[in-house]
Amino acid sequence: MSTLFLIGDPEFTGPALQTNENDDFSTVLEVLEEQPASYISTFARTVVLPDLDSLLKQIYRDRLLPLPNSWNYETGIALIVYNSQRMVPHMSIRQMNDLFRQYFATLNICFIDVHSGDSGDADHYRQVLAALQQDLSITKNRVLKMNHWMNHSQTSCSSNIYSMMRQFSACVSGPHNSDPLPRIIRNMDFTQLISDTKTEEHYLSLLRAWDFSALNLTTVELVQCGFFLIRHLSNLANIPISDNKLYLLLITIEMSYHQINKFHNFRHCIDVMQASWQICERILPDDHLTKLLLALAATGHDIGHPGTNNSLFQNSNNELTGNTSILEAFHYNIFSHILGQQWKKISMLSRATATSDNLIESGILATDMGIHAQYVKIITEKKTRQELSLKELVCLVIKAADISNVTRPLDVSAKWALLITLEFKDCNLLQAFYKEESMSNDDTNCFELVKTHPCKEHLTKADNIDMETEIRIYEILHDAHFLPDTLIKEYPMIPAGQIFFIDTFAYEFFHKFSVIFPELTFLVDNIVENKKYWVEKKRLQEGK
């Protein structure tokens, strides 16, 4: 849903702002009123705020709402109308874009500065609103949105919708790691944004159990899981970070994931963080620095993930495709930039003591399933833990954590199976769109797609499915009487998918990993039990 923000200092604007009579915003509001009903309905709400500080707090609070979240700023667009000369600090549209692309990366937000050269120009405002309507045609369609995330660049079309290349460019050309945090961010009290009274021990107790499920937690609870674990590990490693800075780091990371992805989202990153920690607790119990680095790598290992896969980039030709592991290199670059800005000491310590290896980079790149066989080969050839280098061990741990869904107890594993199935379905829609429209998934003007590739079937299937699916996901994940059997009736393709993944990837990897580390044998036992269930369900489906 979309929001219209009107930002003005009450000392100047007074109550007239809310009666549409204020000089600052009157022209914009008049242009809105003259638009057709479809334009007016663009904004589901109008929010009046006095200053930039209030605006940032509102956006943070909205983003931290429980899922399904209509105000995530991804299923619509936020238009922020302000007067740069009446706002403290004074910020041009370029400066506002820089700020929001650094700290609110995946959010679809655009600006009108009524003090700019176009101040009071009704035609300019009409052009802005027309562009917003075009943007909304993309945000409402899953296929067009994923394509835009992957392939949009500013040279192909002007859009306020998130894209990977825009996020990448903001990190490459934006503030350097040595630059201080903006004062408006640095002075914010993030502890006040977290409305939660549960204790550190409550969260650490959740995180210690292998039946941990990130799927039943709110966004605030997910942030709290990351906060208490990383604070705990940083204290053990004697690399403390203030509570406020750690909250900023985690909330920035959350805002760099897509809440509307079915699987590759902040829930998945916290799940992998917990699994990495628990594996390390069993095989590296006293190496606190490595545990901390792995927990951090896990939080950033899929940052900005578009919900697709590397193969869907194969025909692209943009700044991202120069790397072999396209997505994984992207994730690392974004996360490294955030970490370098917000926690410089840990960013430098990510290099192993005795080598030049960057352990966070190595760990994130290891999650590329395209190089899965390389890690199976490592644990096939090396028979003891002493033969593994620290870099190899870090890669093996985060890789194991990344595919650990099939090692969870069945009730938890089945829910993850649903989410990856739904995300694969999105990928198939996009792949079919490319194939049947005979188009290359290259840098494309997204606004021309519907005109030049009018395959209504694929586009209609993808219309308005994000929030509808999120609501259905919420109902399933929070069903007090959840049973995998019921899930299979609604999604009969799950058993075959789980059997394929276990047979092709998981069983051999975890079996050989547990030969070196017998402490992990329980993971193999869980895989075997889960597979028995899926095989039996598939047998019944086939009537055998």
Side-chain angles (χ1 to χ4, degrees):
M1 289 184 164
S2 298
T3 300
L4 172 64
F5 285 106
L6 303 175
I7 312 301
D9 188 334
E11 184 177 339
F12 291 98
T13 59
L17 179 62
Q18 299 183 51
T19 63
N20 297 352
E21 297 174 1
N22 180 266
D23 289 340
D24 279 352
F25 306 108
S26 58
T27 304
V28 176
L29 295 170
E30 286 170 7
V31 170
L32 268 175
E33 297 239 348
E34 74 182 28
Q35 301 303 316
S38 61
Y39 277 64
I40 297 173
S41 63
T42 294
F43 302 109
R45 65 174 179 174
T46 299
V47 178
V48 179
L49 295 169
D51 50 36
L52 181 58
D53 184 68
S54 301
L55 172 66
L56 298 189
K57 287 179 181 177
Q58 178 73 47
I59 293 175
Y60 279 125
R61 289 193 182 100
D62 284 347
R63 181 69 178 196
L64 292 170
L65 289 171
L67 302 175
N69 182 5
S70 298
W71 306 114
N72 55 35
Y73 300 95
E74 292 189 73
T75 53
I77 296 173
L79 173 61
I80 297 171
V81 183
Y82 72 107
N83 185 327
S84 58
Q85 295 306 300
R86 295 190 181 186
M87 187 174 71
V88 179
H90 302 320
M91 298 186 77
S92 67
I93 287 180
R94 181 188 62 78
Q95 291 170 321
M96 290 283 273
N97 272 316
D98 288 344
L99 176 71
F100 276 77
R101 289 176 184 180
Q102 290 290 325
Y103 298 95
F104 306 88
T106 62
L107 281 56
N108 305 324
I109 296 176
C110 65
F111 308 92
I112 289 178
D113 178 5
V114 298
H115 186 77
S116 69
D118 296 310
S119 176
D121 186 343
D123 286 337
H124 169 68
Y125 299 150
R126 291 185 187 100
Q127 291 173 8
V128 172
L129 292 173
L132 285 181
Q133 286 298 309
Q134 289 186 314
D135 283 346
L136 284 171
S137 70
I138 298 174
T139 66
K140 293 178 180 178
N141 186 282
R142 186 67 183 178
V143 165
L144 297 182
K145 182 157 44 186
M146 289 191 299
N147 176 74
H148 180 91
W149 288 351
M150 292 167 55
N151 299 306
H152 164 80
S153 73
Q154 293 178 345
T155 60
S156 62
C157 65
S158 59
S159 172
N160 296 292
I161 302 172
Y162 164 87
S163 76
M164 294 173 66
M165 282 186 281
R166 191 179 77 178
Q167 187 179 18
F168 183 77
S169 297
C171 291
V172 171
S173 61
H176 298 292
N177 291 346
S178 58
D179 293 343
L181 295 173
R183 181 172 296 179
I184 190 72
I185 297 290
R186 190 170 65 246
N187 291 346
M188 190 164 293
D189 185 355
F190 289 92
T191 60
Q192 291 185 351
L193 295 173
I194 306 297
S195 179
D196 182 53
T197 59
K198 293 183 282 296
T199 65
E200 176 178 6
E201 184 49 42
H202 167 80
Y203 284 104
L204 291 180
S205 178
L206 287 179
L207 291 163
R208 289 188 187 104
W210 194 253
D211 64 357
F212 172 77
S213 177
L215 300 173
N216 299 102
L217 302 179
T218 66
T219 303
V220 165
E221 289 170 334
L222 292 170
V223 170
Q224 290 287 68
C225 283
F227 173 82
F228 285 118
L229 179 58
I230 292 173
R231 189 177 72 170
H232 170 71
L233 294 175
S234 65
N235 288 334
L236 289 175
N238 198 26
I239 313 172
I241 180 173
S242 73
D243 288 358
N244 205 51
K245 286 183 177 179
L246 183 52
Y247 274 128
L248 168 60
L249 175 65
L250 287 165
I251 293 172
T252 303
I253 290 170
E254 195 285 329
M255 288 196 175
S256 299
Y257 279 87
H258 292 290
Q259 279 191 358
I260 55 178
N261 280 353
K262 280 73 173 179
F263 184 92
H264 288 101
N265 50 37
F266 192 63
R267 288 183 295 207
H268 170 62
C269 104
I270 294 298
D271 178 66
V272 175
M273 178 199 74
Q274 185 270 347
S276 296
W277 178 50
Q278 280 305 296
I279 291 172
C280 281
E281 285 290 277
R282 289 164 170 82
I283 68 176
L284 290 168
D286 301 318
D287 191 343
H288 302 307
L289 176 58
T290 298
K291 286 190 288 186
L292 174 60
L293 293 176
L294 266 166
L296 286 167
T299 64
H301 85 282
D302 273 332
I303 205 164
H305 199 293
T308 60
N309 53 56
N310 282 332
S311 66
L312 280 167
F313 281 92
Q314 64 185 8
N315 296 323
S316 297
N317 182 25
N318 58 47
E319 300 96 308
L320 306 178
T321 56
N323 298 288
T324 304
S325 300
I326 299 168
L327 284 171
E328 292 71 26
F330 171 78
H331 303 322
Y332 169 70
N333 282 317
I334 303 302
F335 183 61
S336 176
H337 175 78
I338 293 172
L339 200 60
Q341 268 200 311
Q342 299 191 23
W343 199 355
K344 295 180 179 67
K345 186 173 183 179
I346 201 69
S347 181
M348 293 185 291
L349 282 172
S350 64
R351 295 187 177 277
T353 304
T355 73
S356 60
D357 294 321
N358 183 317
L359 296 183
I360 289 179
E361 180 180 18
S362 298
I364 291 176
L365 293 179
T367 60
D368 180 3
M369 290 302 293
I371 56 175
H372 176 83
Q374 294 181 22
Y375 292 99
V376 174
K377 183 179 179 182
I378 289 172
I379 51 179
T380 301
E381 295 176 347
K382 300 190 175 183
K383 306 299 183 184
T384 67
R385 63 185 71 195
Q386 288 76 24
E387 295 179 59
L388 292 169
S389 67
L390 181 58
K391 174 184 174 180
E392 288 172 332
L393 189 53
V394 162
C395 291
L396 289 168
V397 169
I398 195 169
K399 177 166 183 55
D402 192 35
I403 62 172
S404 65
N405 301 150
V406 293
T407 73
R408 301 286 190 181
L410 180 62
D411 284 1
V412 178
S413 183
K415 292 178 180 180
W416 285 112
L418 164 66
L419 298 180
I420 196 64
T421 298
L422 292 174
E423 194 162 285
F424 279 150
K425 185 178 178 181
D426 287 345
C427 288
N428 290 337
L429 278 174
L430 182 59
Q431 196 163 30
F433 179 66
Y434 289 148
K435 181 179 179 180
E436 301 212 8
E437 295 299 331
S438 300
M439 64 173 286
S440 168
N441 55 322
D442 207 342
D443 186 17
T444 308
N445 186 325
C446 300
F447 303 135
E448 296 298 319
L449 282 180
V450 179
K451 298 177 184 176
T452 57
H453 302 278
C455 182
K456 300 300 182 184
E457 181 183 0
H458 294 302
L459 296 183
T460 303
K461 284 182 179 178
D463 272 344
N464 298 312
I465 63 173
D466 283 319
M467 284 311 300
E468 292 174 9
T469 306
E470 187 64 40
I471 291 168
R472 181 64 188 126
I473 288 171
Y474 178 88
E475 293 171 347
I476 292 172
L477 299 184
H478 293 81
D479 183 355
H481 305 290
F482 171 82
L483 291 172
D485 285 9
T486 305
L487 187 67
I488 293 170
K489 290 178 182 177
E490 189 169 349
Y491 301 95
M493 69 292 289
I494 289 178
Q498 288 294 284
I499 294 168
F500 173 82
F501 186 81
I502 289 170
D503 287 347
T504 308
F505 300 107
Y507 180 79
E508 181 184 21
F509 176 84
F510 281 103
H511 173 69
K512 291 183 175 180
F513 200 24
S514 68
V515 170
I516 302 176
F517 297 99
E519 304 95 322
L520 303 179
T521 302
F522 76 100
L523 300 178
V524 183
D525 295 339
N526 284 353
I527 291 175
V528 171
E529 286 302 308
N530 289 344
K531 183 183 173 182
K532 285 181 182 178
Y533 174 82
W534 299 120
V535 168
E536 175 61 17
K537 294 306 169 184
K538 190 169 184 293
R539 184 186 67 79
L540 292 174
Q541 285 177 339
E542 296 171 348
K544 295 181 180 178

mmCIF file with all atom_site columns, all heavy atoms in Angstrom, residues 263-274:
data_model
loop_
_atom_site.group_PDB
_atom_site.id
_atom_site.type_symbol
_atom_site.label_atom_id
_atom_site.label_alt_id
_atom_site.label_comp_id
_atom_site.label_asym_id
_atom_site.label_entity_id
_atom_site.label_seq_id
_atom_site.pdbx_PDB_ins_code
_atom_site.Cartn_x
_atom_site.Cartn_y
_atom_site.Cartn_z
_atom_site.occupancy
_atom_site.B_iso_or_equiv
_atom_site.pdbx_formal_charge
_atom_site.auth_seq_id
_atom_site.auth_comp_id
_atom_site.auth_asym_id
_atom_site.auth_atom_id
_atom_site.pdbx_PDB_model_num
ATOM 1   N N   . PHE A 1 263 ? 10.673 -16.975 0.645  1.00 0.00 ? 263 PHE A N   1
ATOM 2   C CA  . PHE A 1 263 ? 11.708 -17.739 1.359  1.00 0.00 ? 263 PHE A CA  1
ATOM 3   C C   . PHE A 1 263 ? 12.929 -16.883 1.690  1.00 0.00 ? 263 PHE A C   1
ATOM 4   O O   . PHE A 1 263 ? 13.331 -16.798 2.844  1.00 0.00 ? 263 PHE A O   1
ATOM 5   C CB  . PHE A 1 263 ? 12.131 -18.942 0.515  1.00 0.00 ? 263 PHE A CB  1
ATOM 6   C CG  . PHE A 1 263 ? 13.130 -19.844 1.202  1.00 0.00 ? 263 PHE A CG  1
ATOM 7   C CD1 . PHE A 1 263 ? 12.699 -20.923 1.955  1.00 0.00 ? 263 PHE A CD1 1
ATOM 8   C CD2 . PHE A 1 263 ? 14.504 -19.619 1.091  1.00 0.00 ? 263 PHE A CD2 1
ATOM 9   C CE1 . PHE A 1 263 ? 13.611 -21.760 2.596  1.00 0.00 ? 263 PHE A CE1 1
ATOM 10  C CE2 . PHE A 1 263 ? 15.423 -20.447 1.720  1.00 0.00 ? 263 PHE A CE2 1
ATOM 11  C CZ  . PHE A 1 263 ? 14.974 -21.518 2.471  1.00 0.00 ? 263 PHE A CZ  1
ATOM 12  N N   . HIS A 1 264 ? 13.517 -16.248 0.686  1.00 0.00 ? 264 HIS A N   1
ATOM 13  C CA  . HIS A 1 264 ? 14.766 -15.509 0.901  1.00 0.00 ? 264 HIS A CA  1
ATOM 14  C C   . HIS A 1 264 ? 14.470 -14.127 1.469  1.00 0.00 ? 264 HIS A C   1
ATOM 15  O O   . HIS A 1 264 ? 14.446 -13.131 0.753  1.00 0.00 ? 264 HIS A O   1
ATOM 16  C CB  . HIS A 1 264 ? 15.551 -15.413 -0.406 1.00 0.00 ? 264 HIS A CB  1
ATOM 17  C CG  . HIS A 1 264 ? 16.172 -16.708 -0.822 1.00 0.00 ? 264 HIS A CG  1
ATOM 18  N ND1 . HIS A 1 264 ? 15.619 -17.522 -1.788 1.00 0.00 ? 264 HIS A ND1 1
ATOM 19  C CD2 . HIS A 1 264 ? 17.280 -17.353 -0.375 1.00 0.00 ? 264 HIS A CD2 1
ATOM 20  C CE1 . HIS A 1 264 ? 16.378 -18.594 -1.937 1.00 0.00 ? 264 HIS A CE1 1
ATOM 21  N NE2 . HIS A 1 264 ? 17.383 -18.519 -1.088 1.00 0.00 ? 264 HIS A NE2 1
ATOM 22  N N   . ASN A 1 265 ? 14.270 -14.089 2.767  1.00 0.00 ? 265 ASN A N   1
ATOM 23  C CA  . ASN A 1 265 ? 13.955 -12.853 3.463  1.00 0.00 ? 265 ASN A CA  1
ATOM 24  C C   . ASN A 1 265 ? 14.657 -12.850 4.820  1.00 0.00 ? 265 ASN A C   1
ATOM 25  O O   . ASN A 1 265 ? 15.502 -13.704 5.097  1.00 0.00 ? 265 ASN A O   1
ATOM 26  C CB  . ASN A 1 265 ? 12.437 -12.694 3.613  1.00 0.00 ? 265 ASN A CB  1
ATOM 27  C CG  . ASN A 1 265 ? 11.784 -13.949 4.181  1.00 0.00 ? 265 ASN A CG  1
ATOM 28  O OD1 . ASN A 1 265 ? 12.346 -14.624 5.045  1.00 0.00 ? 265 ASN A OD1 1
ATOM 29  N ND2 . ASN A 1 265 ? 10.594 -14.285 3.697  1.00 0.00 ? 265 ASN A ND2 1
ATOM 30  N N   . PHE A 1 266 ? 14.307 -11.900 5.675  1.00 0.00 ? 266 PHE A N   1
ATOM 31  C CA  . PHE A 1 266 ? 14.988 -11.761 6.964  1.00 0.00 ? 266 PHE A CA  1
ATOM 32  C C   . PHE A 1 266 ? 14.734 -12.957 7.876  1.00 0.00 ? 266 PHE A C   1
ATOM 33  O O   . PHE A 1 266 ? 15.573 -13.301 8.708  1.00 0.00 ? 266 PHE A O   1
ATOM 34  C CB  . PHE A 1 266 ? 14.542 -10.457 7.637  1.00 0.00 ? 266 PHE A CB  1
ATOM 35  C CG  . PHE A 1 266 ? 15.366 -10.053 8.826  1.00 0.00 ? 266 PHE A CG  1
ATOM 36  C CD1 . PHE A 1 266 ? 16.715 -9.757  8.686  1.00 0.00 ? 266 PHE A CD1 1
ATOM 37  C CD2 . PHE A 1 266 ? 14.798 -9.947  10.084 1.00 0.00 ? 266 PHE A CD2 1
ATOM 38  C CE1 . PHE A 1 266 ? 17.479 -9.369  9.779  1.00 0.00 ? 266 PHE A CE1 1
ATOM 39  C CE2 . PHE A 1 266 ? 15.542 -9.552  11.186 1.00 0.00 ? 266 PHE A CE2 1
ATOM 40  C CZ  . PHE A 1 266 ? 16.889 -9.255  11.029 1.00 0.00 ? 266 PHE A CZ  1
ATOM 41  N N   . ARG A 1 267 ? 13.605 -13.607 7.725  1.00 0.00 ? 267 ARG A N   1
ATOM 42  C CA  . ARG A 1 267 ? 13.342 -14.822 8.513  1.00 0.00 ? 267 ARG A CA  1
ATOM 43  C C   . ARG A 1 267 ? 14.384 -15.892 8.195  1.00 0.00 ? 267 ARG A C   1
ATOM 44  O O   . ARG A 1 267 ? 14.903 -16.567 9.093  1.00 0.00 ? 267 ARG A O   1
ATOM 45  C CB  . ARG A 1 267 ? 11.938 -15.357 8.211  1.00 0.00 ? 267 ARG A CB  1
ATOM 46  C CG  . ARG A 1 267 ? 10.819 -14.516 8.774  1.00 0.00 ? 267 ARG A CG  1
ATOM 47  C CD  . ARG A 1 267 ? 9.443  -15.109 8.513  1.00 0.00 ? 267 ARG A CD  1
ATOM 48  N NE  . ARG A 1 267 ? 9.085  -15.156 7.098  1.00 0.00 ? 267 ARG A NE  1
ATOM 49  C CZ  . ARG A 1 267 ? 7.832  -15.133 6.650  1.00 0.00 ? 267 ARG A CZ  1
ATOM 50  N NH1 . ARG A 1 267 ? 6.831  -15.072 7.505  1.00 0.00 ? 267 ARG A NH1 1
ATOM 51  N NH2 . ARG A 1 267 ? 7.572  -15.185 5.362  1.00 0.00 ? 267 ARG A NH2 1
ATOM 52  N N   . HIS A 1 268 ? 14.664 -16.046 6.893  1.00 0.00 ? 268 HIS A N   1
ATOM 53  C CA  . HIS A 1 268 ? 15.656 -17.040 6.478  1.00 0.00 ? 268 HIS A CA  1
ATOM 54  C C   . HIS A 1 268 ? 17.038 -16.669 7.019  1.00 0.00 ? 268 HIS A C   1
ATOM 55  O O   . HIS A 1 268 ? 17.793 -17.549 7.459  1.00 0.00 ? 268 HIS A O   1
ATOM 56  C CB  . HIS A 1 268 ? 15.685 -17.127 4.950  1.00 0.00 ? 268 HIS A CB  1
ATOM 57  C CG  . HIS A 1 268 ? 16.813 -17.936 4.396  1.00 0.00 ? 268 HIS A CG  1
ATOM 58  N ND1 . HIS A 1 268 ? 16.965 -19.285 4.657  1.00 0.00 ? 268 HIS A ND1 1
ATOM 59  C CD2 . HIS A 1 268 ? 17.872 -17.591 3.594  1.00 0.00 ? 268 HIS A CD2 1
ATOM 60  C CE1 . HIS A 1 268 ? 18.047 -19.743 4.037  1.00 0.00 ? 268 HIS A CE1 1
ATOM 61  N NE2 . HIS A 1 268 ? 18.611 -18.727 3.396  1.00 0.00 ? 268 HIS A NE2 1
ATOM 62  N N   . CYS A 1 269 ? 17.381 -15.393 6.989  1.00 0.00 ? 269 CYS A N   1
ATOM 63  C CA  . CYS A 1 269 ? 18.722 -15.014 7.453  1.00 0.00 ? 269 CYS A CA  1
ATOM 64  C C   . CYS A 1 269 ? 18.880 -15.295 8.944  1.00 0.00 ? 269 CYS A C   1
ATOM 65  O O   . CYS A 1 269 ? 19.935 -15.765 9.387  1.00 0.00 ? 269 CYS A O   1
ATOM 66  C CB  . CYS A 1 269 ? 19.010 -13.550 7.107  1.00 0.00 ? 269 CYS A CB  1
ATOM 67  S SG  . CYS A 1 269 ? 18.920 -12.356 8.423  1.00 0.00 ? 269 CYS A SG  1
ATOM 68  N N   . ILE A 1 270 ? 17.854 -15.056 9.744  1.00 0.00 ? 270 ILE A N   1
ATOM 69  C CA  . ILE A 1 270 ? 17.936 -15.356 11.182 1.00 0.00 ? 270 ILE A CA  1
ATOM 70  C C   . ILE A 1 270 ? 17.958 -16.862 11.405 1.00 0.00 ? 270 ILE A C   1
ATOM 71  O O   . ILE A 1 270 ? 18.652 -17.372 12.302 1.00 0.00 ? 270 ILE A O   1
ATOM 72  C CB  . ILE A 1 270 ? 16.763 -14.698 11.933 1.00 0.00 ? 270 ILE A CB  1
ATOM 73  C CG1 . ILE A 1 270 ? 16.898 -13.166 11.877 1.00 0.00 ? 270 ILE A CG1 1
ATOM 74  C CG2 . ILE A 1 270 ? 16.704 -15.182 13.381 1.00 0.00 ? 270 ILE A CG2 1
ATOM 75  C CD1 . ILE A 1 270 ? 18.148 -12.603 12.535 1.00 0.00 ? 270 ILE A CD1 1
ATOM 76  N N   . ASP A 1 271 ? 17.242 -17.603 10.596 1.00 0.00 ? 271 ASP A N   1
ATOM 77  C CA  . ASP A 1 271 ? 17.270 -19.065 10.669 1.00 0.00 ? 271 ASP A CA  1
ATOM 78  C C   . ASP A 1 271 ? 18.686 -19.589 10.412 1.00 0.00 ? 271 ASP A C   1
ATOM 79  O O   . ASP A 1 271 ? 19.179 -20.457 11.142 1.00 0.00 ? 271 ASP A O   1
ATOM 80  C CB  . ASP A 1 271 ? 16.296 -19.642 9.642  1.00 0.00 ? 271 ASP A CB  1
ATOM 81  C CG  . ASP A 1 271 ? 16.306 -21.163 9.621  1.00 0.00 ? 271 ASP A CG  1
ATOM 82  O OD1 . ASP A 1 271 ? 15.891 -21.766 10.614 1.00 0.00 ? 271 ASP A OD1 1
ATOM 83  O OD2 . ASP A 1 271 ? 16.730 -21.745 8.596  1.00 0.00 ? 271 ASP A OD2 1
ATOM 84  N N   . VAL A 1 272 ? 19.349 -19.067 9.395  1.00 0.00 ? 272 VAL A N   1
ATOM 85  C CA  . VAL A 1 272 ? 20.709 -19.511 9.068  1.00 0.00 ? 272 VAL A CA  1
ATOM 86  C C   . VAL A 1 272 ? 21.692 -19.049 10.147 1.00 0.00 ? 272 VAL A C   1
ATOM 87  O O   . VAL A 1 272 ? 22.636 -19.773 10.491 1.00 0.00 ? 272 VAL A O   1
ATOM 88  C CB  . VAL A 1 272 ? 21.121 -18.999 7.676  1.00 0.00 ? 272 VAL A CB  1
ATOM 89  C CG1 . VAL A 1 272 ? 22.580 -19.355 7.356  1.00 0.00 ? 272 VAL A CG1 1
ATOM 90  C CG2 . VAL A 1 272 ? 20.201 -19.575 6.613  1.00 0.00 ? 272 VAL A CG2 1
ATOM 91  N N   . MET A 1 273 ? 21.481 -17.863 10.693 1.00 0.00 ? 273 MET A N   1
ATOM 92  C CA  . MET A 1 273 ? 22.318 -17.394 11.802 1.00 0.00 ? 273 MET A CA  1
ATOM 93  C C   . MET A 1 273 ? 22.240 -18.363 12.974 1.00 0.00 ? 273 MET A C   1
ATOM 94  O O   . MET A 1 273 ? 23.264 -18.755 13.552 1.00 0.00 ? 273 MET A O   1
ATOM 95  C CB  . MET A 1 273 ? 21.853 -15.998 12.237 1.00 0.00 ? 273 MET A CB  1
ATOM 96  C CG  . MET A 1 273 ? 22.616 -15.422 13.420 1.00 0.00 ? 273 MET A CG  1
ATOM 97  S SD  . MET A 1 273 ? 21.732 -14.067 14.246 1.00 0.00 ? 273 MET A SD  1
ATOM 98  C CE  . MET A 1 273 ? 20.437 -14.999 15.114 1.00 0.00 ? 273 MET A CE  1
ATOM 99  N N   . GLN A 1 274 ? 21.017 -18.752 13.343 1.00 0.00 ? 274 GLN A N   1
ATOM 100 C CA  . GLN A 1 274 ? 20.844 -19.668 14.476 1.00 0.00 ? 274 GLN A CA  1
ATOM 101 C C   . GLN A 1 274 ? 21.478 -21.022 14.200 1.00 0.00 ? 274 GLN A C   1
ATOM 102 O O   . GLN A 1 274 ? 22.157 -21.597 15.058 1.00 0.00 ? 274 GLN A O   1
ATOM 103 C CB  . GLN A 1 274 ? 19.354 -19.836 14.763 1.00 0.00 ? 274 GLN A CB  1
ATOM 104 C CG  . GLN A 1 274 ? 19.030 -20.658 15.997 1.00 0.00 ? 274 GLN A CG  1
ATOM 105 C CD  . GLN A 1 274 ? 18.887 -22.164 15.718 1.00 0.00 ? 274 GLN A CD  1
ATOM 106 O OE1 . GLN A 1 274 ? 18.794 -22.574 14.552 1.00 0.00 ? 274 GLN A OE1 1
ATOM 107 N NE2 . GLN A 1 274 ? 18.862 -22.967 16.769 1.00 0.00 ? 274 GLN A NE2 1
#
